[in-house]
Amino acid sequence: MTTWLSSHAVLVQSTLVSLLLALSIQVPLRAGVFSFAGVGSYAIGAYAAAIMTIRLQVAPVFAIGVGVVIAAVAGYLLALLVARLAGLYLGMATIAFALFLGVVAVNGGELTGGATGLYGAISTLTTGHVVAITGIVVLLLAVSERGAFGRRVDAVREDPQLAVSLGIDVGRVRRRVFVVSGALGACAGGMNSLLRTTVSPETIGFHLVVTALTMIIVGGALSWAGAAIGAVIFTWLPTVLQFVGDWQPVVYGVLVALAAVYMPTGLLGVAQSAWRRARRRGLPADEQDRPQADDPERALAALQEARP
C-alpha cells in the first residue's frame, strides 16, 4: 500500500485538492445557493499561501490558514453584498468575483508576480498532511449533513418561504454557506500552490468553475460523497483515457451530458435509489409502499397526497 501511494502521490494529492474545490461549490448548492465564489476563494488561498511561504517562510499549515481566514471573511462580505440576488444572477455575480480576483493577480506587481505568477513556494507540506486536512473537512461536512442543521439546510433549499415560516433564518444560513465555501476553496488553493510550489493567473481561471461543476454533476450535488465520487472519476480518468489522445475533451463532454440527462442526481443518487429499492424488496408486501425513514422524497410525496 505504501509503495502504491508513493508511486501515485501526485494523483492522490490532485484528487483531494479537487475534492475540496468541488466541495466549495457543492456546499452552497446543497443550500440552494447558486454560487461559484469558492473558485475566487481558491485564488485567495493559493496566492496567500505562496506569498506567506516565499516572503515570510512560515509553516505550511499557518500559510494555508491565513488564506482560509481571509477567504472566509471575504465570503461573509460577499454574502452581504449579494444578499438580494438568487439563481442565475447570483451565479454570474460570484463568477465576476472570481474573474475580478484573476485581474487583481495579473496586476498585483511584485506581490503576486504579475502575469507570470509566483515560483519557489517550497514547504514541508506532504501527502499525509493533505490526507489529514481533507479527512477532517469531510468528517465535519458529513456531520453537518445530519441532525437539525442538516434539516434546516435542506428546508432552505427545497422551499425558502416555508423555511422562513418555520422560524429558520434563511439569510443566516446563506451567509454561513458562503463562509464555509470560502474556507474550503482557499484551503484547496493553498494546498495546491504549496504542493506544486507555484501559482499563476492561468491556474486560477474560469476552467476551475467548469472542473468543479463537472465533478458535482457526475457525482451528485446533495452530499459530500457525490463530490468525492466526481473528484475521483475526473482526476483519474485521464490515465484511463490516454488511448483517445486529443479526443479526451470530447469524451468528457459526452460523459457530463449523459450524466446531466440520465442521472440528474448523479452517481450517488442512482446508487442511493438502487439501495432503497433493494431494501424494499426485502420488506413484506404491505410495507413496500410505506415511505421509509431514509426515503425523504417518498415520504414528502405521501404527505402531499394525504394533505386535504
Side-chain angles (χ1 to χ4, degrees):
M1 184 65 177
T2 304
T3 304
W4 183 89
L5 284 175
S6 60
S7 61
H8 295 82
V10 174
L11 278 174
V12 172
Q13 294 168 0
S14 298
T15 301
L16 298 179
V17 170
S18 297
L19 171 58
L20 291 180
L21 174 63
L23 288 173
S24 71
I25 294 181
Q26 182 269 329
V27 168
L29 285 179
R30 182 170 173 265
V33 179
F34 197 55
S35 168
F36 302 105
V39 174
S41 300
Y42 181 98
I44 293 175
Y47 273 95
I51 291 170
M52 296 294 292
T53 301
I54 295 172
R55 314 291 189 204
L56 303 178
Q57 299 294 319
V58 300
V61 174
F62 182 78
I64 295 171
V66 169
V68 168
V69 172
I70 294 174
V73 173
Y76 182 80
L77 296 177
L78 181 63
L80 297 178
L81 182 64
V82 300
R84 296 182 178 275
L85 299 180
L88 181 61
Y89 298 101
L90 177 59
M92 293 301 296
T94 53
I95 288 178
F97 168 70
L99 296 178
F100 168 76
L101 290 173
V103 174
V104 171
V106 172
N107 296 277
E110 293 184 1
L111 181 63
T112 63
T116 58
L118 296 173
Y119 296 86
I122 302 173
S123 71
T124 57
L125 188 69
T126 64
T127 302
H129 295 143
V130 177
V131 171
I133 293 172
T134 307
I136 293 172
V137 169
V138 167
L139 178 61
L140 293 175
L141 289 179
V143 172
S144 72
E145 290 181 2
R146 300 179 180 274
F149 181 75
R151 290 192 292 272
R152 286 198 294 271
V153 172
D154 292 339
V156 171
R157 180 186 71 250
E158 297 298 335
D159 193 334
Q161 294 181 348
L162 178 60
V164 171
S165 68
L166 294 174
I168 299 174
D169 190 340
V170 174
R172 186 177 183 181
V173 172
R174 284 169 55 104
R175 291 190 293 272
R176 284 184 177 181
V177 298
F178 266 92
V179 171
V180 173
S181 172
L184 291 173
C187 186
M191 290 197 300
N192 189 68
S193 65
L194 296 186
L195 290 170
R196 309 293 170 249
T197 71
T198 180
V199 61
S200 67
E202 294 179 357
T203 63
I204 60 170
F206 181 75
H207 69 279
L208 292 178
V209 175
V210 178
T211 300
L213 262 182
T214 299
M215 294 176 183
I216 294 172
I217 290 173
V218 174
L222 299 185
S223 174
W224 68 267
I229 293 171
V232 170
I233 290 175
F234 284 95
T235 302
W236 292 77
L237 192 60
T239 61
V240 179
L241 296 178
Q242 288 181 352
F243 66 94
V244 301
D246 295 337
W247 287 88
Q248 283 193 22
V250 177
V251 175
Y252 294 157
V254 171
L255 289 177
V256 174
L258 291 176
V261 173
Y262 296 105
M263 296 185 298
T265 57
L267 289 172
L268 179 64
V270 172
Q272 289 175 335
S273 298
W275 170 251
R276 286 193 288 265
R277 287 195 298 269
R279 289 188 60 184
R280 288 197 197 96
R281 292 194 187 98
L283 296 174
D286 58 340
E287 295 186 13
Q288 289 187 5
D289 293 331
R290 186 181 303 172
Q292 303 298 311
D294 61 344
D295 190 353
E297 295 179 358
R298 195 176 178 87
L300 178 61
L303 288 174
Q304 290 175 341
E305 292 177 358
R307 184 178 299 169

